[in-house]
Amino acid sequence: MRRLNLFKTQKHFYVYHLFKVCEQKMVVRLRHALLKEELLSITHTHPHLHTLSQHTHFLSGTHSFYLLPDCFSRPKPTPGDIEKGLEMKKLVLSGFLASEEIYINQLEALLLPMRPLKATASTSQPVLTIQQVNTIFYKIQDIFEIHKEFYDSLFPHIQQWDEKVTVGHLFQKLASQLGVYKAFVDNYKTAVETAEKCSLANSQFQKISEVALLYKPIDRVTRSTLVLHDLLKHTPKDHPDFPLLQDALRISQNFLSSINEEIDPRRTAVTTPKGEARQLVKDGFLVEVSESSRKLRHVFLFTDLLLCAKMKKTSVGRQQQYECKWYLPLADLTFQTLDESDVCPHIQVLPEHEIEEMKIKISVIKNEIQKEKKALKGQSRNVERLRKKMNEQESWLLLHSPTIPFRIHNKNSKSYLFLLSSDYERSEWRESIQKLQKKGTPCHLTSVELQVLTSSCFKLRTVHNIPVTSNKDDDETPGLYGFLHVIVHSAKGFKESANLYCTLEVDSYGYFVSKAKTRVFRDTTEPQWNEVRDQHQTDHYGNECPEFEIELEGSQCLRILCYEKCYDKMKLNKDDNEIVDIIMGKGQVQLDPQTLESKNWHMDVIEMNGIKVEFSMKFTSRDLSLKRTPSKKQSGVFGVKISVVTKRERSKVPYIVRQCIEEVEKRGIDEVGIYRISGVATDIQALKAAFDTNTKDILVMLSDMDINAIAGTLKLYFRELPEPLLTDRLYPAFMEGIALSDPAAKENCMMHLLRSLPDPNLITFLTLLEHLKRVADKEPINKMSLHNLGTVFGPTLLRPSESEVTKGHITLASDIWSHDVMAQVQVLLYYLQHPPISFAELKRNTLYFSTDV
């Protein structure tokens, strides 16, 4: 029993998985036995299939691989951490090897009829033609041999396991052979269609074929990628396997991204009552604008029609069903722009601060769930209650966040409007529909046929739940929290000169949002977005590069879209009042924590429609980004106490604060999203260096610099103060004061706390406060309300320093975000909404009570 206790938490998952694997082996072998029996019975009526018995040796000759006894044996005593890491790594590899044997058996089942079928193809009574056989079994034999070799090579390493064993080279070799899978993927759809036609036309082939197994090779690449994640997690960085596994993971992820653009092999073919072939190509949850309100729909794209459905409310225990809201034959669907006479329905768009506040609430609930799970091992009813609440809030966010219009028209009747959060997603739906329209498949459904098709959607769907984190399993990766730094270097592969730029999207709270945009590079086939300035960030070729800092909120994927800029005013899209730029290509990469945890830049290439975009990225975790660390240098202003800076400058407010505020009010107060939209990180670093060295040309730099970079520099200054502007000492009192219910008590306390600040901190805070109020006065133009500004600046001005975090007030830096950030925002918002506060009057007034703070 003592030994079994070691396998709790993550270990028990792998042990449980091995039991499931053994169960699957029995199922696979039973299916093989039944299949061989079926084939042998056919042999009696079809003598040309007698060769079958000569090709079934693998099932009896394969390794007998039983790992469970070995997993539970007592290991040799080694240092604790190394032993745990080795044991976990072996468990991961053992589970993967056992499932690899199942996969090889499945490939064997696929190949089982191939040679007999080939033998009969040249006879007078062929079951299939040789061309049909080659199409259906294309590359299966090669894939089988690759994995058989991999299995045979890995098996002895696991049997003789110790800390010196290396397996990275085997996984790297396996990843390098994914080109065979690419050929399989390219042929996949044709293979499935051919197999289905042959099954319908030939009862003998239908009995012996294993068409459903054709999906297994694609499924295997996904499984291998997940295993590489786990292996890296339990492999020390100084182990020889680590760089090899990293390389294998990079190759596998890029391969998966590329095939996801071309095929989703899980799509299921269905047959209509008329016997026509209809296939589900794509499905997903979209927000529809119906009667001026937002509705969450499940949209199904078939080969000949688009069907919009909603889930019916059913009683407990009954199977869920869809209700069809409308369907549209693809032959009648168009994307044409609205005429001037058409009325665009009013789209309800919530203020951004409400969206941000909901994100904060979700973060707080996530933190509460983690605490409950740690305290009660996840068995508490409270966990389920919190999960339900988080699901409701995330669903609300998913419904109200999208703003990008996706309008489709029925050329014979009405139009429909969806709202999406990502141009990438809009492009995918449009491209999928247009590709199917080229085939020109006619469609007309009777009411009965529509009912049958709608009923089949529940079984056919590939997206089962709305994409919110509360629907994820506990063992799924939670994504990355922190800041992703990205440099887009260049792009190649354009056939004609154009005005080109890229945008960057990341996923957040279940949906994708656009986070950054490069400058437009005019009239070129090879744009180089490397900007030559007096900066310190260079690319691999020594060129200066624009760097974007993107905040990640549980993100797992980065998307890059490449556009051709359109300057023709005649192409104005009435839906979003913006010129419609043409998407030239799009692609995505998985954000792998193991790859990005290095402080060094990671260079990568995304291939999209023949275009290659070269970029670099690195990641800073939220734990690190939230830490305040004092500057080690004696001079400069960043990272130096505000009292030291003002004393040195003989000023009441630091020069950097005064100059940035002045510049923003001069030419940025009308800028949409000022203080919310990030400036180019390298511009910000250049300004930081200029202020730190007190460059004489600082005023010239400010006048020439992008206004978002100046706003970003001001935020960075407050973020890098060694302690917050409102001080560590007063932080607990601010948290208690803002929680007071009585308005008079709150007013008394909050004003007393301001009076308790050191003079440089107080005067600087009041200066910033009045500036932010002036920015909010322009909200109709810049879209920055007091709530928005409170959300941006609250944590920056109040977040405790690292020393306060380690004292125990807050156990983890990441807890600050999920637990205290709402209160930090509320503190600043209180002062922003307060009537003007005068420094002199504040100092003159006497409170009726005193608090020891």
Side-chain angles (χ1 to χ4, degrees):
M1 288 298 295
R2 288 176 57 198
R3 180 60 183 160
L4 284 173
N5 289 335
L6 293 174
F7 291 86
K8 287 182 178 179
T9 66
Q10 189 171 3
K11 289 185 181 180
H12 92 276
F13 166 76
Y14 290 110
V15 175
Y16 168 77
H17 172 68
L18 292 179
F19 280 117
K20 296 298 291 180
V21 160
C22 291
E23 182 183 344
Q24 289 178 36
K25 285 184 186 180
M26 294 176 65
V27 172
V28 170
R29 286 173 176 158
L30 180 61
R31 288 180 68 190
H32 276 217
L34 293 172
L35 179 61
K36 283 196 284 184
E37 185 178 334
E38 183 67 48
L39 277 165
L40 289 171
S41 67
I42 294 173
T43 304
H44 294 298
T45 58
H46 208 301
H48 300 289
L49 295 178
H50 73 278
T51 55
L52 171 69
S53 58
Q54 300 171 20
H55 305 291
T56 57
H57 61 278
F58 179 79
L59 289 175
S60 58
T62 190
H63 292 292
S64 298
F65 193 61
Y66 300 104
L67 289 162
L68 288 174
D70 188 47
C71 288
F72 285 102
S73 63
R74 190 174 297 277
K76 295 179 181 179
T78 54
D81 290 341
I82 298 175
E83 179 187 357
K84 288 177 184 176
L86 281 171
E87 195 169 6
M88 285 305 302
K89 188 175 178 181
K90 182 180 179 181
L91 280 169
V92 174
L93 285 169
S94 300
F96 182 64
L97 193 61
S99 67
E100 186 76 359
E101 182 181 356
I102 291 175
Y103 177 51
I104 292 172
N105 286 339
Q106 290 167 339
L107 293 175
E108 180 78 3
L110 264 175
L111 290 169
L112 207 58
M114 185 182 71
R115 291 181 185 175
L117 288 170
K118 275 189 175 181
T120 65
S122 57
T123 66
S124 58
Q125 294 179 303
V127 178
L128 301 180
T129 67
I130 191 66
Q131 183 179 355
Q132 288 172 329
V133 173
N134 290 338
T135 299
I136 294 170
F137 298 101
Y138 185 68
K139 293 296 179 181
I140 302 293
Q141 183 67 44
D142 294 342
I143 293 172
F144 170 79
E145 290 170 1
I146 287 170
H147 282 270
K148 185 68 168 62
E149 180 186 354
F150 172 76
Y151 178 92
D152 291 340
S153 301
L154 185 60
F155 181 82
H157 287 75
I158 310 302
Q159 294 295 85
Q160 302 169 7
W161 185 256
D162 60 35
E163 69 275 8
K164 296 179 182 178
V165 170
T166 59
V167 296
H169 61 292
L170 299 177
F171 282 91
Q172 189 184 43
K173 182 179 179 181
L174 185 65
S176 69
Q177 295 171 309
L178 285 174
V180 176
Y181 276 88
K182 181 68 169 67
F184 173 84
V185 167
D186 291 341
N187 180 69
Y188 173 80
K189 185 177 179 182
T190 306
V192 171
E193 289 176 351
T194 304
E196 287 170 349
K197 287 178 182 177
C198 292
S199 294
L200 290 172
N202 192 306
S203 58
Q204 288 182 327
F205 178 70
Q206 188 177 39
K207 289 179 180 179
I208 64 173
S209 69
E210 291 280 351
V211 177
L213 291 178
L214 277 174
Y215 172 62
K216 292 299 180 182
I218 309 302
D219 195 31
R220 192 61 189 171
V221 180
T222 306
R223 173 68 195 278
S224 301
T225 305
L226 294 175
V227 168
L228 285 168
H229 276 287
D230 289 337
L231 287 176
L232 278 166
K233 192 183 300 180
H234 301 293
T235 302
K237 290 184 181 178
D238 57 355
H239 193 281
D241 271 348
F242 194 83
L244 299 175
L245 292 172
Q246 270 192 325
D247 188 50
L249 179 61
R250 179 186 61 80
I251 295 170
S252 299
Q253 287 178 331
N254 288 343
F255 173 76
L256 279 176
S257 295
S258 67
I259 65 169
N260 284 341
E261 290 295 306
E262 301 168 21
I263 186 172
D264 187 342
R266 293 170 295 178
R267 306 307 184 203
T268 309
V270 291
T271 305
T272 68
K274 294 181 180 180
E276 299 166 348
R278 174 177 290 129
Q279 188 176 12
L280 177 63
V281 178
K282 183 179 179 66
D283 71 300
F285 290 92
L286 299 181
V287 175
E288 184 188 14
V289 178
S290 176
E291 299 176 350
S292 298
S293 63
R294 294 167 179 251
K295 308 287 185 182
L296 192 62
R297 307 297 196 204
H298 199 150
V299 181
F300 297 85
L301 175 61
F302 291 93
T303 44
D304 57 345
L305 63 90
L306 186 72
L307 188 147
C308 179
K310 62 171 276 189
M311 188 68 76
K312 283 184 180 179
K313 290 184 179 180
T314 54
S315 56
V316 178
R318 294 193 63 183
Q319 182 178 342
Q320 290 181 306
Q321 291 182 332
Y322 283 105
E323 173 190 338
C324 177
K325 301 303 296 182
W326 52 265
Y327 84 94
L328 180 55
L330 298 188
D332 297 334
L333 189 153
T334 65
F335 297 108
Q336 64 196 37
T337 307
L338 285 173
D339 295 330
E340 290 298 322
S341 58
D342 289 335
V343 178
C344 185
H346 173 70
I347 302 172
Q348 180 189 9
V349 179
L350 290 179
E352 189 170 336
H353 71 83
E354 291 189 27
I355 301 291
E356 294 301 320
E357 285 173 2
M358 182 58 75
K359 289 181 180 180
I360 293 169
K361 289 178 182 177
I362 293 168
S363 296
V364 171
I365 292 179
K366 284 182 180 178
N367 186 260
E368 290 176 2
I369 290 173
Q370 292 305 314
K371 288 180 179 178
E372 286 285 340
K373 289 167 71 175
K374 287 178 183 177
L376 301 168
K377 299 179 182 177
Q379 300 301 316
S380 168
R381 289 184 180 179
N382 200 30
V383 172
E384 292 307 312
R385 180 184 65 79
L386 289 169
R387 280 187 181 277
K388 184 178 179 181
K389 186 176 180 182
M390 185 170 78
N391 185 279
E392 291 172 356
Q393 292 181 343
E394 288 189 316
S395 300
W396 181 93
L397 195 64
L398 193 71
L399 187 65
H400 291 91
S401 296
T403 58
I404 299 176
F406 176 49
R407 182 180 293 275
I408 58 174
H409 311 267
N410 185 337
K411 63 185 182 183
N412 299 319
S413 58
K414 63 180 294 186
S415 301
Y416 304 94
L417 175 63
F418 294 105
L419 297 178
L420 287 72
S421 61
S422 159
D423 204 14
Y424 191 106
E425 187 181 5
R426 178 166 65 174
S427 173
E428 280 192 325
W429 279 99
R430 182 179 283 128
E431 288 173 5
S432 298
I433 291 171
Q434 288 173 337
K435 190 180 294 184
L436 292 169
Q437 285 179 320
K438 291 179 181 178
K439 297 181 179 179
T441 308
C443 166
H444 177 71
L445 297 180
T446 65
S447 57
V448 174
E449 290 170 344
L450 179 60
Q451 187 176 354
V452 170
L453 182 63
T454 306
S455 300
S456 69
C457 285
F458 184 81
K459 187 179 291 186
L460 294 175
R461 61 183 179 162
T462 63
V463 181
H464 293 265
N465 299 304
I466 60 174
V468 294
T469 55
S470 51
N471 283 333
K472 290 185 177 180
D473 296 332
D474 288 341
D475 57 348
E476 288 187 61
T477 175
L480 295 173
Y481 289 86
F483 292 91
L484 183 69
H485 303 264
V486 182
I487 299 172
V488 182
H489 297 287
S490 61
K492 297 179 180 178
F494 297 97
K495 296 178 180 178
E496 297 179 358
S497 292
N499 305 311
L500 303 166
Y501 69 92
C502 288
T503 62
L504 309 179
E505 295 181 354
V506 294
D507 55 315
S508 170
Y509 295 91
Y511 58 93
F512 278 83
V513 288
S514 183
K515 288 285 190 177
K517 175 182 174 182
T518 68
R519 64 189 177 94
V520 178
F521 204 99
R522 290 177 176 257
D523 195 24
T524 182
T525 57
E526 293 190 5
Q528 302 285 330
W529 289 289
N530 306 314
E531 296 182 350
V532 180
R533 289 195 185 133
D534 183 19
Q535 300 168 346
H536 301 287
Q537 177 64 46
T538 60
D539 67 7
H540 294 263
Y541 310 105
N543 299 315
E544 303 291 344
C545 307
E547 176 191 333
F548 297 102
E549 184 182 77
I550 298 172
E551 185 175 4
L552 303 182
E553 300 167 300
S555 307
Q556 297 179 326
C557 189
L558 169 69
R559 288 173 169 176
I560 298 183
L561 295 91
C562 194
Y563 291 85
E564 178 185 355
K565 183 69 178 175
C566 177
Y567 293 101
D568 185 356
K569 297 292 183 181
M570 298 299 292
K571 295 184 179 180
L572 193 70
N573 185 338
K574 187 176 176 181
D575 283 356
D576 50 17
N577 203 32
E578 291 181 1
I579 294 173
V580 181
D581 297 335
I582 302 169
I583 296 180
M584 305 297 288
K586 62 186 191 302
Q588 60 185 16
V589 290
Q590 295 298 313
L591 297 176
D592 173 37
Q594 299 289 342
T595 303
L596 292 174
E597 68 179 7
S598 168
K599 293 181 179 179
N600 299 324
W601 286 91
H602 171 71
M603 193 158 186
D604 210 336
V605 174
I606 287 184
E607 296 190 27
M608 45 178 87
N609 300 342
I611 301 165
K612 293 184 178 181
V613 176
E614 187 181 77
F615 67 101
S616 299
M617 58 183 174
K618 68 176 180 179
F619 171 70
T620 305
S621 69
R622 176 159 284 160
D623 285 2
L624 292 176
S625 64
L626 287 173
K627 291 180 180 178
R628 295 183 186 269
T629 52
S631 174
K632 296 179 181 179
K633 60 182 186 296
Q634 299 298 316
S635 59
V637 295
F638 282 82
V640 179
K641 287 184 177 180
I642 197 166
S643 57
V644 173
V645 173
T646 52
K647 185 177 181 180
R648 185 202 305 147
E649 295 178 351
R650 298 180 181 179
S651 63
K652 294 181 179 180
V653 177
Y655 177 72
I656 182 174
V657 176
R658 288 182 279 123
Q659 289 306 129
C660 288
I661 286 177
E662 182 181 326
E663 199 65 34
V664 169
E665 293 192 0
K666 185 190 299 182
R667 59 186 181 92
I669 203 162
D670 292 336
E671 185 79 13
V672 174
I674 188 69
Y675 288 120
R676 179 179 58 79
I677 295 177
S678 299
V680 175
T682 38
D683 289 346
I684 295 171
Q685 291 301 318
L687 283 171
K688 176 184 176 181
F691 277 112
D692 265 343
T693 56
N694 197 20
T695 304
K696 294 180 181 179
D697 297 332
I698 185 66
L699 293 178
V700 176
M701 284 187 67
L702 284 170
S703 63
D704 290 341
M705 197 66 74
D706 174 65
I707 198 64
N708 288 317
I710 296 170
T713 303
L714 182 62
K715 289 189 295 181
L716 182 66
Y717 169 72
F718 287 117
R719 194 161 72 225
E720 292 196 355
L721 284 174
E723 76 163 350
L725 185 65
L726 300 189
T727 73
D728 286 326
R729 182 174 66 91
L730 297 177
Y731 181 77
F734 275 114
M735 295 297 100
E736 292 169 8
I738 198 64
L740 292 173
S741 301
D742 180 61
K746 181 182 287 190
E747 166 81 6
N748 232 4
C749 181
M750 299 300 278
M751 291 302 113
H752 175 63
L753 290 173
L754 282 189
R755 183 184 293 103
S756 303
L757 287 169
D759 282 359
N761 297 58
L762 176 56
I763 297 171
T764 301
F765 177 68
L766 294 178
T767 302
L768 178 66
L769 204 62
E770 292 309 308
H771 165 65
L772 295 179
K773 288 181 180 180
R774 289 191 290 272
V775 172
D777 287 341
K778 296 281 190 176
E779 180 190 354
I781 301 172
N782 61 33
K783 310 300 182 187
M784 292 301 291
S785 64
L786 290 176
H787 285 84
N788 286 344
L789 294 166
T791 302
V792 171
F793 276 95
T796 301
L797 301 179
L798 280 129
R799 189 187 68 246
S801 64
E802 186 179 1
S803 59
E804 282 298 304
V805 173
T806 55
K807 281 180 185 176
H809 174 68
I810 296 171
T811 54
L812 288 174
S814 57
D815 287 346
I816 299 169
W817 181 258
S818 57
H819 187 266
D820 281 0
V821 72
M822 189 183 296
Q824 294 164 4
V825 171
Q826 291 301 319
V827 168
L828 180 56
L829 190 58
Y830 179 86
Y831 292 120
L832 285 170
Q833 293 173 334
H834 196 280
I837 304 169
S838 162
F839 174 77
E841 188 178 342
L842 191 66
K843 287 293 186 179
R844 259 197 321 270
N845 285 347
T846 303
L847 297 180
Y848 293 105
F849 68 91
S850 177
T851 310
D852 182 13
V853 293

